[in-house]
């Protein structure tokens, strides 16, 4: 049997999956570590991880696969990874500092100032986004605050670029990578000279481009021996976790959308034109199936605080397992008896215009509310936050009727599925797949094993399909309206206290 190997390098774990080429079935799947990887926060709003930890967990996950299949039959490797991170390496490919990851907020003010001084019209027309809290702004922070370290940088990499470097020994990136880092000028179709000049960043720090689908390097002998894989097999696909999740769910064309609810929660819609949200609450990136003659863009709505909220509750409330938390939540009626939870406690939220609102649990009645009420309010709060962003997606022209998701993370909860479906009003399709499987299938496309993306999806199974109903939509519309009203009040108070309103 011949296989394709996919890795999904997240902030909580590294997943690995083997897909059998002949049948398209996932024959083995593992993840490491058994508990979530820690995120370091040396200061409020910061979020860092050690890239070496990602590599070690990738090794552990691969060795677990060895117990389930013959890895010498692997023909190609695909990589999915947490987006927007910054990894700095020197000329010997040694990491110079902990990675500044996606939910780190230290560069918010740098990006906001760039948005104003480069000009909002320029940024939205050329970059499709505010420079915001993305990779380019994080590198500018390093240049300002760690100049001696900055002087030693040979290349700046995204997390997936780093993993590919460890596999192949080569530093490179992709067009989707330049797009998600807010390096790419969509008008000029090249790296933005204006942004580089404004941030005083040398373009040579950006690694060379390789195709999204196609040979990106070959497995070195050293890495092959460590991982138990054949020497010289290609790394033939790389993409950020959200474009890759969309690919994993066969979301390839305009009007199709994918959702996730892991550490963060996302709705990702594909469009055939470059759309920009004037307030940069929704972000636009190059989708994996983009071609100059057939453009494809991903409109990304991200809520930073989702599964991480559930994890926090499990760890600090009563240390319950997720299944038990879901059962308790199901014992409480919709609305959680008036308890409201706002899940914005994992860094600055793009959908809130990069405000650092933090999480809020409101209207607690000490005589009525229990842990079960909190678990219910948390799931409703995440779904309502997605609804808040989903409405913005619709306003900027995304027309979505069906949303696809993997049967994983918060979508394992019947309560969350119900609230999500009834609140958005979209049909929800759930599939037996994940990011690692998607990366494996895509590697087959990049290696020429599959003739097209469509061919790579044989063997993928739909698990469930949920439809909204009129009664449910009306019930949750009223609950969402109450939640939204309180959210807007919180934002108003924050703006008043920060001097944004006079």
């Amino acid at each position: 049997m011949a296989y394709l190997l996919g890795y999904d390098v997240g902030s909580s774990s590294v997943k690995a999956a083997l897909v059998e080429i002949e049948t398209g079935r996932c024959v083995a799947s593992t993840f490491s570590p058994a508990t979530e990887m820690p995120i370091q926060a040396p200061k409020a709003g910061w979020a860092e991880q050690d890239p070496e930890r990602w590599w070690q967990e990738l090794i552990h996950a691969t060795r677990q696969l060895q117990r389930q299949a013959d890895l010498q039959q692997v023909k190609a490797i695909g990589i999915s990874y947490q987006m927007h991170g910054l990894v700095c390496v020197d000329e010997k490919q040694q990491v110079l500092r902990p990675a500044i990851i996606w939910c780190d907020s230290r560069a918010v003010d740098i990006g906001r100032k760039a948005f104003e001084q480069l000009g909002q019209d320029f940024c939205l027309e050329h970059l499709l986004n505010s420079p915001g809290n993305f990779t380019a702004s994080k590198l500018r922070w390093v240049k300002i605050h760690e100049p001696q370290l900055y002087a030693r940088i040979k290349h700046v990499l995204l997390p997936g670029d780093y993993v590919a470097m460890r596999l192949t020994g080569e530093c490179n990136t992709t067009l989707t990578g330049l797009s998600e880092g807010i390096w790419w000028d969509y008008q000029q179709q090249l790296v933005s000279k204006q942004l580089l000049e404004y941030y005083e960043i040398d373009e040579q720090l950006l690694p060379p481009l390789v195709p999204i689908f196609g040979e990106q390097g070959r497995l070195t002998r050293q890495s092959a021996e460590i991982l138990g894989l054949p020497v010289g097999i290609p790394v033939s696909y790389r993409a950020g976790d959200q474009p890759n999740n969309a690919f994993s769910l066969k979301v390839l064309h305009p009007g199709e959308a994918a959702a996730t609810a892991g550490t963060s929660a996302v709705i990702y819609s594909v469009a055939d034109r470059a759309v920009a949200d004037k307030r940069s609450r929704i972000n636009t990136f190059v989708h994996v199936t983009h071609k100059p003659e057939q453009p494809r863009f991903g409109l990304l709505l991200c809520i930073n605080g989702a599964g991480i909220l559930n994890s926090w509750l499990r760890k600090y409330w009563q240390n319950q397992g997720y299944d038990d938390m879901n059962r308790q939540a199901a014992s409480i009626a919709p609305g959680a008896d008036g308890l409201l939870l706002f899940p914005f406690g994992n860094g600055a939220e793009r959908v809130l215009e990069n405000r650092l609102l933090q999480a809020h649990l409101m209207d607690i009645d000490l005589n009525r509310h229990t842990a079960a009420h909190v678990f219910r309010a948390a799931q409703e709060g995440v779904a309502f936050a997605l609804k808040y962003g989903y409405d913005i997606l619709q306003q900027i022209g995304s027309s979505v009727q069906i949303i696809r998701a993997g049967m994983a993370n918060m979508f394992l909860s019947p309560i969350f599925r119900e609230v999500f479906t009834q609140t958005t009003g979209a049909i929800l399709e759930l599939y037996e797949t994940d990011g690692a499987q998607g990366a494996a299938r895509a590697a087959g496309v990049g290696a020429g094993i599959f003739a097209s993306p469509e061919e790579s999806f044989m063997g993928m199974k739909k698990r469930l399909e949920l439809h909204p109903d009129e009664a449910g939509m009306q019930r949750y519309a009223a609950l969402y309206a109450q939640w939204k009203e309180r959210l807007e009040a919180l934002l108003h108070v924050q703006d008043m206290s920060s001097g944004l309103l006079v």
Side-chain angles (χ1 to χ4, degrees):
M1 293 295 180
Y3 306 114
L4 299 164
L5 172 59
Y7 292 116
D8 185 8
V9 182
S11 49
S12 59
S13 67
V14 176
K15 300 180 181 70
L18 281 179
V19 172
E20 190 177 69
I21 292 173
E22 184 177 353
T23 64
R25 293 186 306 111
C26 178
V27 297
S29 180
T30 65
F31 67 93
S32 184
T35 57
E36 289 121 351
M37 279 190 290
I39 295 175
Q40 284 75 45
K43 293 184 179 181
W46 290 22
E48 299 182 343
Q49 286 184 320
D50 180 4
E52 177 65 24
R53 179 69 185 268
W54 304 334
W55 177 244
Q56 292 303 319
E57 301 304 345
L58 183 147
I59 293 171
H60 294 158
T62 308
R63 288 177 177 169
Q64 290 176 40
L65 285 182
Q66 290 176 335
R67 305 186 190 113
Q68 304 178 53
D70 179 6
L71 297 191
Q72 287 300 309
Q73 302 307 312
V74 171
K75 303 302 179 185
I77 299 171
I79 301 168
S80 168
Y81 60 89
Q82 51 171 297
M83 298 171 71
H84 314 306
L86 174 67
V87 181
C88 303
V89 299
D90 64 15
E91 60 183 9
K92 295 182 179 179
Q93 298 185 352
Q94 297 300 303
V95 173
L96 294 171
R97 69 171 331 281
I100 303 175
I101 66 170
W102 58 279
C103 55
D104 186 286
S105 303
R106 75 187 70 185
V108 166
D109 287 340
I110 290 172
R112 183 181 293 122
K113 185 177 179 181
F115 195 38
E116 295 169 355
Q117 296 193 352
L118 283 169
Q120 294 187 15
D121 289 344
F122 168 81
C123 289
L124 295 177
E125 291 173 8
H126 289 261
L127 308 176
L128 300 184
N129 302 280
S130 162
N133 196 35
F134 296 107
T135 313
S137 299
K138 290 168 180 169
L139 181 59
R140 175 62 180 171
W141 184 94
V142 172
K143 182 177 175 67
I144 294 170
H145 295 278
E146 300 174 349
Q148 293 182 331
L149 183 147
Y150 178 87
R152 297 168 55 200
I153 298 174
K154 173 66 174 179
H155 285 304
V156 293
L157 306 173
L158 295 161
D161 301 335
Y162 169 80
V163 170
M165 180 195 77
R166 294 299 299 260
L167 292 169
T168 68
E170 300 180 30
C171 287
N172 48 48
T173 194
T174 64
L175 180 57
T176 57
L178 292 178
S179 168
E180 73 177 76
I182 317 299
W183 301 109
W184 192 248
D185 187 319
Y186 292 81
Q187 295 283 339
Q188 301 296 322
Q189 290 297 296
L190 44 76
V191 172
S192 174
K193 305 294 185 184
Q194 290 93 328
L195 182 69
L196 290 172
E197 290 175 3
Y198 175 80
Y199 276 165
E200 299 178 306
I201 290 171
D202 185 348
E203 186 174 347
Q204 296 303 310
L205 296 183
L206 300 177
L209 272 179
V210 290
I212 301 164
F213 295 91
E215 187 171 318
Q216 302 175 352
R218 289 185 172 267
L219 194 63
T220 65
R221 180 171 297 279
Q222 180 182 13
S223 293
E225 290 175 354
I226 292 171
L227 297 170
L229 294 168
V231 176
I233 59 172
V235 172
S236 52
Y237 168 79
R238 187 185 325 166
D241 51 9
Q242 299 310 325
N244 176 73
N245 180 66
F247 178 88
S248 305
L249 293 159
K250 202 178 178 181
V251 172
L252 311 175
H253 304 297
E256 299 175 342
T260 59
T263 301
S264 62
V266 164
I267 298 176
Y268 181 100
S269 172
V270 176
D272 57 4
R273 59 191 180 92
V275 178
D277 172 31
K278 291 182 179 180
R279 292 159 64 183
S280 210
R281 298 160 299 176
I282 304 296
N283 299 113
T284 304
F285 306 114
V286 170
H287 189 41
V288 293
T289 54
H290 176 85
K291 298 177 183 177
E293 69 278 10
Q294 190 180 60
R296 294 289 183 266
F297 302 95
L299 310 182
L300 188 148
L301 150 69
C302 180
I303 306 298
N304 289 359
I308 193 171
L309 169 63
N310 248 9
S311 174
W312 186 88
L313 291 173
R314 181 182 62 83
K315 184 176 181 181
Y316 290 108
W317 194 273
Q318 292 186 345
N319 200 31
Q320 303 291 330
Y322 293 123
D323 288 343
D324 186 57
M325 289 167 64
N326 291 338
R327 283 192 293 270
Q328 290 191 56
S331 71
I332 304 300
D337 202 8
L339 193 64
L340 298 173
L341 202 153
F342 301 87
F344 306 114
N346 189 30
E349 290 283 359
R350 284 174 253 167
V351 75
L352 303 180
E353 299 181 69
N354 274 328
R355 289 178 174 91
L356 191 62
L357 184 64
Q358 303 297 17
H360 291 70
L361 182 62
M362 301 183 69
D363 295 346
I364 303 171
D365 186 318
L366 300 177
N367 295 310
R368 297 201 320 273
H369 291 142
T370 65
H373 288 88
V374 177
F375 300 154
R376 174 93 197 194
Q379 297 199 29
E380 291 183 354
V382 173
F384 289 163
L386 283 169
K387 165 65 174 173
Y388 184 83
Y390 182 73
D391 287 348
I392 300 170
L393 266 176
Q394 303 290 83
Q395 291 164 15
I396 65 172
S398 176
S399 178
V400 174
Q401 304 298 322
I402 299 174
I403 299 175
R404 297 175 187 149
M407 194 75 173
N409 301 315
M410 291 188 73
F411 282 106
L412 291 170
S413 166
I415 296 298
F416 183 76
R417 297 195 298 258
E418 174 189 316
V419 183
F420 180 87
T421 304
Q422 302 292 3
T423 304
T424 61
I427 296 169
L428 176 63
E429 296 181 347
L430 293 166
Y431 288 83
E432 197 173 292
T433 190
D434 59 26
Q437 291 183 48
R441 295 178 191 278
V445 178
I449 294 168
F450 299 128
S452 67
E454 286 78 8
E455 186 178 311
S456 72
F457 294 105
M458 62 176 175
M460 190 173 78
K461 297 179 180 179
K462 184 192 293 188
R463 289 278 303 277
L464 198 61
E465 182 171 306
L466 300 173
H467 292 248
D469 60 79
E470 192 62 35
M473 290 175 65
Q474 289 181 4
R475 171 191 292 172
Y476 282 104
L479 295 172
Y480 170 69
Q482 296 170 10
W483 183 93
K484 182 182 177 184
E485 182 179 3
R486 296 296 292 276
L487 171 63
E488 291 174 344
L490 284 170
L491 295 173
H492 181 79
V493 169
Q494 186 185 70
D495 289 346
M496 288 287 287
S497 64
S498 64
L500 294 178
L501 295 176
V502 296

